[in-house]
């Protein structure tokens, strides 16, 4: 099992550009989520999904879209990147009350 | 609502020193409590967990006891090693809020030889 995978590992964008952060898991977990990690603020939930076709907003959803067309994939879309979205992004899946994290994507918006 | 408060860092200790990282929580219902660890350049990994009051989670020499009366889940280790240098996150998950996870801000630990 690869677990939770994320691509890319690093990305630099210019303000106003759009992009998609990819996340996939091969553990057949129903629950998937996206977090951003910022210094002094811990992890904040952006969006989550409890199964294919179902998504919901977390604590900081503005500026991000998600979709869940399959159990395996949960991409995060930045519609128009802003410097405030410079962060490290983690995807996670969950089963049995435990979160499994991907390795993260470090995003810089200039 | 649900929230987690953990001790501010950074923490710097000498090898073999005793470690305590404080964590308190606010939650509705009966949450499960977790400690996650993030080594440099990596994602978070589960370190230990406890699912009910008075449970003790333990792993790799780390321990934490679920104290409902003080709403705490402090992380301890009797003798830290250089390899324990990492950021430690306290977290909770509550069935009352759809099993969403709530994280503390993280505590950075550096162990020096």
């Amino acid at each position: 099992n690869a677990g939770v995978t994320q691509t890319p590992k690093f990305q630099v964008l210019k303000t106003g550009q759009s992009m998609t952060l990819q996340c996939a898991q091969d553990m057949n977990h129903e629950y998937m989520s996206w977090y951003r990690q910022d210094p002094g603020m811990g992890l904040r939930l952006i969006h989550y999904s409890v199964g294919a076709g179902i998504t919901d907003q977390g604590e900081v959803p503005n500026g991000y879209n998600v979709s869940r067309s399959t159990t395996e994939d949960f991409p995060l879309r930045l519609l128009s990147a802003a410097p405030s979205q410079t962060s490290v992004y983690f995807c996670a899946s969950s089963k049995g009350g435990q979160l499994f994290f991907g390795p993260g994507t470090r995003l810089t918006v200039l | 609502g649900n929230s987690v408060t953990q001790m501010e860092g950074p923490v710097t200790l000498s090898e073999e020193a005793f470690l305590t990282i404080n964590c308190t929580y606010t939650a509705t219902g009966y949450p499960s409590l977790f400690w996650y660890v993030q080594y440099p350049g990596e994602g978070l990994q589960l370190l230990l967990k406890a699912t009910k009051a008075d449970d003790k989670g333990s792993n790799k020499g780390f321990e934490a006891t679920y104290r409902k009366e003080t709403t705490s889940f402090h992380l301890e280790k009797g003798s830290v090693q250089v390899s324990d240098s990492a950021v430690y996150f306290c977290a909770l998950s509550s069935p009352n809020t759809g099993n969403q996870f709530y994280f503390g801000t993280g505590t950075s630990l550096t162990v020096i030889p």
Side-chain angles (χ1 to χ4, degrees), chain A residues 2 9 11 15-16 21 28 31 34 36 43 50 53 57 62 64 75 80 88 91 96 99 101-102 104:
Chain A
K9 296 195 84 167
Q11 183 71 50
T15 297
L21 307 185
N28 203 33
Y31 182 94
W34 277 101
R36 59 178 289 172
L43 276 77
V50 298
Q57 296 180 351
N62 292 342
Y64 307 95
S80 177
V88 181
C91 180
L99 275 178
F101 284 88

Side-chain angles (χ1 to χ4, degrees), chain A residues 9 31 35 37-38 40-43 45 48 50 57-58 88 90 94 96-104, chain B residues 8 32 34 36 38 41-46 49 87 89 91 93 97-106:
Chain A
K9 296 195 84 167
Y31 182 94
Y35 292 86
Q37 182 181 23
D38 301 292
M41 304 192 75
L43 276 77
L45 181 65
Y48 66 98
V50 298
Q57 296 180 351
V88 181
F90 288 101
S94 176
Q98 180 179 335
L99 275 178
F100 298 82
F101 284 88
Chain B
E8 295 281 333
S32 295
F34 306 82
Y36 279 82
Q38 183 181 30
E42 299 183 10
L44 281 73
Q45 307 170 24
L46 178 66
K49 68 177 181 181
V87 181
F89 291 90
S93 170
T97 50
N99 288 315
Q100 285 190 46
F101 280 73
Y102 297 83
F103 286 85
T105 54

Side-chain angles (χ1 to χ4, degrees), chain B residues 37-40 83-88 107-110:
Chain B
V37 59
Q38 183 181 30
Y39 298 105
S83 57
D84 294 326
S85 298
V87 181
Y88 293 83
T107 301
S108 174
L109 169 67
T110 301

Side-chain angles (χ1 to χ4, degrees), chain A residues 68-103:
Chain A
R68 185 90 181 273
S69 56
T70 66
T71 299
E72 293 79 18
D73 300 300
F74 191 45
L76 178 72
R77 295 183 186 84
L78 280 70
L79 308 173
S80 177
S84 61
Q85 293 179 304
T86 293
S87 187
V88 181
Y89 291 84
F90 288 101
C91 180
S93 67
S94 176
K95 185 168 185 177
Q98 180 179 335
L99 275 178
F100 298 82
F101 284 88

Side-chain angles (χ1 to χ4, degrees), chain B residues 30-88:
Chain B
Y30 301 95
S32 295
L33 302 174
F34 306 82
W35 278 100
Y36 279 82
V37 59
Q38 183 181 30
Y39 298 105
E42 299 183 10
L44 281 73
Q45 307 170 24
L46 178 66
L47 180 60
L48 54 84
K49 68 177 181 181
T51 57
K52 61 183 188 295
D54 299 324
D55 267 3
K56 177 185 284 188
S58 60
N59 186 25
K60 300 182 180 180
F62 290 89
E63 293 182 340
T65 301
Y66 189 142
R67 301 285 189 201
K68 190 168 172 55
E69 64 277 11
T70 54
T71 62
S72 65
F73 193 55
H74 305 321
L75 183 68
E76 296 182 336
K77 186 174 186 182
S79 176
V80 293
Q81 306 301 312
V82 172
S83 57
D84 294 326
S85 298
V87 181
Y88 293 83

